[in-house]
C-alpha cells in the first residue's frame, strides 16, 4: 500500500513536470508570428502577419551576432499573397543569426533566432571510361586467351567431371567381405 502511494505521487510529479513546458512553448511560438528555416546555406522566413500597403508586404532582415538593429542586417523584400509572405537569403555563412520581419505598416511581425550549420558539398570528379566497354561477364570476359588456354581449361573441367563420376559410383557399391 505504501509503495503504491509513493508511485502515484511520483507519477503525478512527472506528469506535471512534463506538461509545464508545453504552454510556455506554445506561447513563445504564437507570439513570434514568423517561421524561420534553413536548408544548407539558405535561410528562409514565412509569415502571415503582414498586409500589402502600396504594393509592398514589408521587409525581413538577417542580423549576425555583431549587428544590433534592423537597418544593419541583410534585408530582403517580402513577397507572396495575403495568406503567406516569404523572404529568403542565400549564401549565408555558418553561425547564429536573428531574423526580424517588419511589415509595411511599420509593425514587427516577429523575431526569431536561427543557427546555420556548416555543410560540405560533395565534389564530383569524372574518371576515364574504359576503351572497350564495361568488363562484365564471367571472369575476364573481355580478354581473349587463345586456343591453347581454352583446350587446357576444357581438359581440367573434363578431368574434374570424370573424377566426380568415378567417386560417386564407387561409393554407391556395397562393401563385400
Amino acid at each position: 500500500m505504501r509503495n503504491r502511494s509513493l508511485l502515484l505521487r511520483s507519477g503525478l510529479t512527472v506528469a506535471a513536470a512534463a506538461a509545464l513546458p508545453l504552454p510556455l512553448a506554445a506561447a513563445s511560438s504564437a507570439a513570434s508570428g514568423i517561421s524561420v528555416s534553413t536548408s544548407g546555406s539558405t535561410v528562409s522566413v514565412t509569415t502571415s502577419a503582414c498586409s500589402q500597403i502600396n504594393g509592398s508586404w514589408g521587409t525581413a532582415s538577417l542580423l549576425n551576432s555583431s549587428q544590433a538593429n534592423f537597418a544593419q542586417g541583410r534585408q530582403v523584400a517580402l513577397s507572396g499573397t495575403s495568406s503567406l509572405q516569404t523572404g529568403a537569403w542565400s549564401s549565408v555563412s555558418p553561425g547564429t543569426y536573428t531574423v526580424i520581419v517588419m511589415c509595411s505598416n511599420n509593425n514587427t511581425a516577429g523575431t526569431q533566432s536561427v543557427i546555420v550549420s556548416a555543410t560540405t558539398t560533395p565534389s564530383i570528379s569524372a574518371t576515364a571510361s574504359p576503351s572497350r566497354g564495361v568488363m562484365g561477364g564471367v571472369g575476364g570476359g573481355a580478354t581473349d586467351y587463345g586456343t591453347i588456354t581454352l583446350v587446357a581449361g576444357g581438359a581440367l573441367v573434363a578431368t574434374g567431371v570424370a573424377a566426380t563420376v568415378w567417386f560417386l559410383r564407387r561409393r554407391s557399391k556395397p562393401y563385400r567381405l
Side-chain angles (χ1 to χ4, degrees):
M1 185 69 164
R2 186 173 160 169
N3 288 340
R4 186 173 181 174
S5 169
L6 179 63
L7 218 68
L8 180 63
R9 274 189 274 162
S10 63
L12 290 174
T13 304
V14 168
L20 181 63
L22 293 177
L24 295 175
S28 66
S29 65
S32 175
I34 65 172
S35 175
V36 180
S37 62
T38 63
S39 176
S41 65
T42 301
V43 176
S44 58
V45 61
T46 59
T47 185
S48 58
C50 296
S51 58
Q52 191 174 25
I53 298 176
N54 295 329
S56 172
W57 294 102
T59 308
S61 183
L62 181 72
L63 287 76
N64 63 24
S65 58
S66 64
Q67 295 168 329
N69 61 31
F70 186 86
Q72 293 175 336
R74 287 175 56 183
Q75 297 181 11
V76 294
L78 296 176
S79 61
T81 63
S82 59
S83 60
L84 189 68
Q85 301 85 42
T86 62
W89 299 268
S90 59
S91 302
V92 178
S93 56
T96 302
Y97 295 89
T98 302
V99 175
I100 302 172
V101 174
M102 187 75 79
C103 295
S104 56
N105 61 1
N106 290 330
N107 289 337
T108 303
T111 302
Q112 190 172 341
S113 294
V114 65
I115 297 173
V116 178
S117 45
T119 57
T120 58
T121 306
S123 61
I124 300 172
S125 61
T127 58
S129 61
S131 61
R132 293 175 51 186
V134 177
M135 297 180 77
V138 181
T143 305
D144 186 18
Y145 286 109
T147 308
I148 296 174
T149 307
L150 293 176
V151 170
L156 285 173
V157 169
T159 304
V161 168
T164 303
V165 168
W166 176 75
F167 180 76
L168 292 175
R169 286 188 56 107
R170 188 169 173 242
R171 284 188 60 185
S172 65
K173 292 181 181 178
Y175 288 107
R176 298 184 186 174
L177 294 175

